[in-house]
Amino acid sequence: MLQTATARWDWEEGSSIGATAGAIPEPCVFVLFGASGDLARRKLLPALFQLFQRGLLPQGFALVGASLAKLDREAFQASVRESLEQSMGELDGLAWQVFARQLDHVTMDLSRADDYVRLGQRLSEIDRERGTRGNRLFYLSVAPSLFGPVVDHLGEAGLARAGRGNWVRIIVEKPFGTDLASARALNARLHRFFDESSIYRMDHYLGKEMVQNLLVLRFGNGLFEPLWNRQHIDHVQITNAETLGVEGRGSYYEQSGVVRDMIQGHVFQVLSLLAMEAPEDLSPEAVRTSKVELLQTARAFSPERIRTECIRGQYSAGQSGGQLVPGYRQEPGVAADSGVETYALLTMRFDSMRWAGVPFYVRSGKRLKERVTEVVVHFKPGPFRFPGVSGPEQSAGNRLVIRIQPEEGLALRINTKVPGQGLRARDVDMSFLYAQGFGERLPEAYEPLLLEGLRGNSTLYTRRDMVERSWELVMPVLEAWGASKAEPNYAAGSWGPAAARSLLETQGRTWNRE
């Protein structure tokens, strides 16, 4: 059923989805495991400093880095400042001085139980020194192989359970498992010591402005929601394209491939917000339940559907950015006969009243022609036929283009008459760019995600059943493709395999970007 009419929503200017407007988190300690790693230095530390400069961190706040690096407090402060300057340029001197006072470091081996006892002792000292009240947020910015051991040691050291009047949360970075079995095993391991309400599974795409905007776009505009169904929409395209190759991560990508790396997580998050029914309200559980319910209606991938509605590919040598680049099999760390896919197209279908008969073409790939993530909603052509007019001028349907990255924005493509004699039509854009429309800096994706984790709002994080359902859907594809090798079938700098273009053309459709 379409639930829009019964949804109880409170749109509040300046509010976060599912959170109180302008709420500052409670005093707490943010424990960053892997504080000396690449993700921490490039994304997490700059995001926390930006939140501090915007006045969104509590007065009682401490950031504790936990890593193998042998750093005392002053050396850690210097390391953090270096990371911030590399990402942000010159820092405001006064802001840095205040922020630096909140930094501390604990040198620890994440495989040693005794080191977690020392961590707990230091956290208790910080509670007394800074008034952080026993509230802790643990962030696992470490290799996936360490997720389970860190969780076990936290639980066994008594650090996973909150006392009366305080809270403990844990943020787990992606990838969350490598298949359905490993995702279930990791969930079970987390649940030994943490309640589901305390587990925040990270997917940084949910922090992007245009992804968050999908809720407002769909349900906050009377123009779109009445048309958001099979009566008016012909098909939907979701493109996640990268111009880069594996960038030195060949050994990782050999175990991953694009379905595991991008589609099962990032792309399915966008898809679920795009196609779900209206949630009952804007609470975290209502929004996340609607997303899962959408995926529950997704049609399973049978062998026939995989053969006729899914395409895979691997890039060969070609031109990218005006330079010759190697093929995937020539990348460092990649096997000379690798069968891993670097491109995938999945045709998603939903057996529901809203979407029956509407295909969602989902594609993601590396070394493609442009770097872009966008959604294109293709509406059906209007019913009126102009006398004496034929061809594309007669049949073009409207398109809504939702650009997620780069240059976040919207474009509604409508048909209009070309000036002059005759009734010739052409599609034109009615467009909006976030950067121009608001005239202010857009937060990086990790900023709202970290803030909502500190606030205790899980709307922008992934729930257990969503993770497991996503893996359920892609497992038949991964198993079928794993039985044979992907072959190099598209040149770097192109839009992917010719078969992906042909799949749409045989159905009378074309890609928005080709």
Side-chain angles (χ1 to χ4, degrees):
M1 293 179 61
L2 307 185
Q3 302 173 8
T4 309
T6 60
R8 301 186 301 276
W9 290 20
D10 180 18
W11 296 102
E12 190 172 346
E13 184 177 358
S15 68
S16 297
I17 295 170
T20 305
I24 301 297
E26 294 179 300
C28 62
V29 181
F30 187 107
V31 181
L32 179 54
F33 291 107
S36 58
D38 183 65
L39 176 64
R41 293 175 66 86
R42 288 190 305 108
K43 297 293 185 180
L44 303 179
L45 294 171
L48 287 168
F49 187 63
Q50 290 283 8
L51 293 176
F52 168 75
Q53 290 193 115
R54 291 163 56 198
L56 295 174
L57 296 183
Q59 283 192 336
F61 176 81
L63 167 60
V64 176
S67 71
L68 273 172
K70 292 180 169 55
L71 302 173
D72 59 18
R73 187 180 181 195
E74 289 72 24
F76 181 60
Q77 291 171 340
S79 174
V80 171
R81 179 163 192 165
E82 179 186 5
S83 299
L84 296 180
E85 289 176 338
Q86 287 176 351
S87 296
M88 304 168 60
E90 187 176 351
L91 305 181
D92 177 278
L94 180 58
W96 165 250
Q97 288 179 19
V98 178
F99 184 70
R101 297 187 200 124
Q102 304 173 66
L103 304 180
D104 206 339
H105 185 267
V106 175
T107 299
M108 58 185 297
D109 181 341
L110 299 185
S111 65
R112 287 175 50 87
D114 289 350
D115 284 2
Y116 291 81
V117 175
R118 284 197 304 105
L119 173 64
Q121 293 170 347
R122 181 61 189 131
L123 296 181
S124 295
E125 293 170 1
I126 290 174
D127 287 337
R128 294 190 293 271
E129 294 168 3
R130 301 199 59 84
T132 47
R133 304 180 188 174
N135 297 324
R136 283 91 186 257
L137 176 61
F138 297 106
Y139 196 113
L140 303 191
S141 179
V142 295
S145 60
L146 291 174
F147 290 169
V150 171
V151 168
D152 290 347
H153 287 308
L154 286 173
E156 291 159 1
L159 297 175
R161 296 294 180 189
R164 175 174 292 184
N166 55 34
W167 51 260
V168 174
R169 302 178 190 127
I170 187 168
I171 297 179
V172 185
E173 263 290 345
K174 71 178 288 287
F176 199 91
T178 57
D179 55 23
L180 179 58
S182 60
R184 284 175 170 166
L186 181 53
N187 276 327
R189 204 161 179 179
L190 281 161
H191 278 271
R192 285 182 59 202
F193 299 108
F194 292 89
D195 297 329
E196 177 63 26
S197 61
S198 301
I199 302 169
Y200 290 62
R201 299 169 187 83
M202 172 65 73
D203 189 314
H204 76 267
Y205 259 55
L206 289 174
K208 293 181 179 293
E209 283 293 331
M210 281 306 300
V211 175
Q212 296 180 64
N213 190 41
L214 288 173
L215 275 175
V216 181
L217 178 71
R218 284 192 56 194
F219 304 118
N221 292 289
L223 172 66
F224 294 123
E225 179 56 18
L227 308 180
W228 215 257
N229 53 59
R230 60 188 174 88
Q231 283 84 16
H232 300 282
I233 292 176
D234 177 78
H235 72 283
V236 178
Q237 301 174 9
I238 302 178
T239 295
N240 170 245
E242 298 180 87
T243 56
L244 297 176
V246 293
E247 301 303 297
R249 298 166 66 235
S251 56
Y252 160 76
Y253 213 77
E254 282 288 88
Q255 307 302 317
S256 173
V258 72
V259 174
R260 286 185 170 92
D261 190 44
M262 297 299 298
I263 291 180
Q264 178 273 333
H266 298 330
V267 178
F268 275 10
Q269 293 292 343
V270 174
L271 175 64
S272 61
L273 287 168
L274 185 74
M276 72 183 193
E277 297 295 333
E280 204 172 275
D281 53 43
L282 289 179
S283 66
E285 290 312 297
V287 173
R288 299 198 296 178
T289 294
S290 288
K291 292 166 67 177
V292 174
E293 289 175 346
L294 180 276
L295 292 188
Q296 295 291 355
T297 70
R299 189 179 301 175
F301 282 106
S302 64
E304 176 66 11
R305 286 197 64 214
I306 295 170
R307 185 180 67 82
T308 60
E309 295 193 325
C310 300
I311 303 292
R312 64 172 167 167
Q314 187 186 96
Y315 66 83
S316 59
Q319 289 263 353
S320 180
Q323 295 182 333
L324 286 172
V325 294
Y328 176 70
R329 292 180 178 181
Q330 288 75 54
E331 299 277 14
V334 173
D337 61 347
S338 175
V340 171
E341 86 284 350
T342 62
Y343 176 99
L345 159 61
L346 307 184
T347 303
M348 301 295 297
R349 296 185 181 274
F350 299 98
D351 295 320
S352 65
M353 287 294 291
R354 184 185 290 268
W355 296 121
V358 179
F360 286 71
Y361 302 109
V362 171
R363 64 174 175 171
S364 181
K366 287 190 171 294
R367 285 292 188 212
L368 297 181
K369 189 173 184 178
E370 295 179 44
R371 174 182 175 265
V372 63
T373 300
E374 70 178 15
V375 173
V376 185
V377 180
H378 286 251
F379 292 91
K380 293 180 178 179
F384 186 75
R385 293 294 180 265
F386 293 98
V389 179
S390 61
E393 292 88 353
Q394 178 70 279
S395 60
N398 303 130
R399 282 172 287 173
L400 176 64
V401 181
I402 305 168
R403 177 74 70 84
I404 295 172
Q405 67 178 17
E407 297 181 340
E408 298 92 332
L410 303 167
L412 181 61
R413 295 184 183 175
I414 63 171
N415 297 310
T416 188
K417 180 184 176 297
V418 175
Q421 291 185 332
L423 201 57
R424 294 187 302 116
R426 192 183 76 186
D427 59 343
V428 297
D429 282 356
M430 301 173 63
S431 61
F432 161 78
L433 292 176
Y434 250 83
Q436 294 179 2
F438 292 99
E440 60 185 61
R441 170 189 168 273
L442 294 183
E444 290 290 331
Y446 278 95
E447 292 174 42
L449 289 167
L450 295 183
L451 180 60
E452 298 309 331
L454 290 165
R455 285 174 170 170
N457 172 28
S458 56
T459 308
L460 302 181
Y461 289 86
T462 308
R463 204 167 63 186
R464 175 178 187 167
D465 48 0
M466 175 81 176
V467 168
E468 295 185 8
R469 178 56 178 159
S470 297
W471 279 117
E472 278 181 353
L473 287 172
V474 301
M475 286 311 300
V477 177
L478 292 172
E479 289 166 357
W481 286 354
S484 61
K485 290 184 177 181
E487 295 294 334
N489 59 0
Y490 72 96
S494 70
W495 272 113
R501 179 171 60 252
S502 299
L503 189 148
L504 265 67
E505 288 177 347
T506 58
Q507 300 171 18
R509 300 173 174 127
T510 58
W511 288 104
N512 185 59
R513 291 177 185 271
E514 188 58 74

